């Protein structure tokens, strides 16, 4: 099945149609300005892409000054373009433990429920959304598996 823009879509669930292509936002806020990000999101959406991916740690390279901008830009685009939330599939990710990115939840030592809930709440605030369709772990809690 094709979207109205020509991108293949499939029914992931009875009431959830997802484009087979997903636009990642890893560069939004670092390599891409807000204006450029809006342009890329517009082009993707008009081509029939309804699946967008971000992460709390984006953009890359990771820096305290830009952390979370990719989610913020995505949310600002949704709000500014007044796109009905049910027309989009939004994915984002929680950062796993890292001794390097101390600006993300004080450099969490584990992916426990407290850290995951805090990360979800922060992502929802940055994106100005009520829910996330797909929430992923960016990398595992390696110490949990090897201790």
């Amino acid at each position: 099945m094709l979207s109205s823009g020509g991108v293949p879509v499939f029914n992931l669930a009875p009431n959830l149609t997802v484009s087979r292509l997903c636009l990642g936002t890893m560069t939004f806020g670092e390599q891409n300005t807000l204006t450029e990000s809006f342009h890329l999101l517009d082009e993707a959406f008009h081509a029939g892409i309804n699946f967008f991916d971000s992460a709390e740690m984006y953009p890359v390279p990771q820096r305290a000054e830009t952390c979370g901008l990719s989610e913020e830009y995505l949310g600002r685009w949704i709000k500014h373009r007044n796109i009905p939330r049910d027309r989009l599939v939004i994915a984002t990710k929680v950062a796993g433990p890292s001794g390097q990115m101390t600006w993300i939840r004080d450099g969490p030592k584990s992916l426990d429920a407290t850290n995951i809930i805090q990360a979800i709440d922060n992502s929802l605030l940055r994106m100005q959304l009520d829910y996330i369709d797909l929430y992923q772990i960016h990398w595992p809690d390696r110490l949990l598996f090897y201790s």
Side-chain angles (χ1 to χ4, degrees):
M1 180 167 47
L2 294 177
S3 70
S4 60
V7 172
V9 296
F10 67 100
N11 290 328
L12 188 61
N15 295 318
L16 183 60
T17 301
V18 179
S19 57
R20 291 195 181 267
L21 297 176
C22 176
L23 180 69
T25 63
M26 180 175 76
T27 61
F28 293 5
E30 183 70 34
Q31 293 90 348
N32 298 105
T33 66
L34 181 63
T35 301
E36 292 167 339
S37 300
F38 272 35
H39 176 74
L40 291 168
L41 290 160
D42 287 340
E43 290 291 320
F45 189 68
H46 293 307
I49 294 172
N50 72 342
F51 188 13
F52 299 93
D53 175 72
S54 197
E56 69 172 338
M57 63 176 263
Y58 289 167
V60 293
Q62 301 83 25
R63 297 184 304 126
E65 302 80 29
T66 59
C67 185
L69 281 181
S70 294
E71 287 182 330
E72 182 184 324
Y73 285 13
L74 178 58
R76 288 173 70 177
W77 173 75
I78 294 166
K79 187 174 185 174
H80 184 67
R81 297 297 192 252
N82 199 28
I83 299 171
R85 180 61 182 87
D86 63 354
R87 293 199 50 207
L88 302 171
V89 178
I90 303 296
T92 195
K93 299 176 270 315
V94 59
S98 170
Q100 298 172 342
M101 291 183 283
T102 56
W103 55 85
I104 298 177
R105 297 181 318 285
D106 297 322
K109 304 297 182 233
S110 70
L111 280 176
D112 59 10
T114 301
N115 271 290
I116 292 171
I117 290 168
Q118 185 181 4
I120 291 170
D121 288 344
N122 291 340
S123 291
L124 289 170
L125 284 172
R126 280 188 293 273
M127 292 189 285
Q128 304 175 62
L129 298 176
D130 294 329
Y131 64 95
I132 296 164
D133 297 291
L134 175 61
Y135 198 67
Q136 305 158 91
I137 296 173
H138 216 136
W139 58 84
D141 189 340
R142 293 170 185 97
L143 295 177
L144 179 68
F145 296 109
Y146 299 110
S147 56

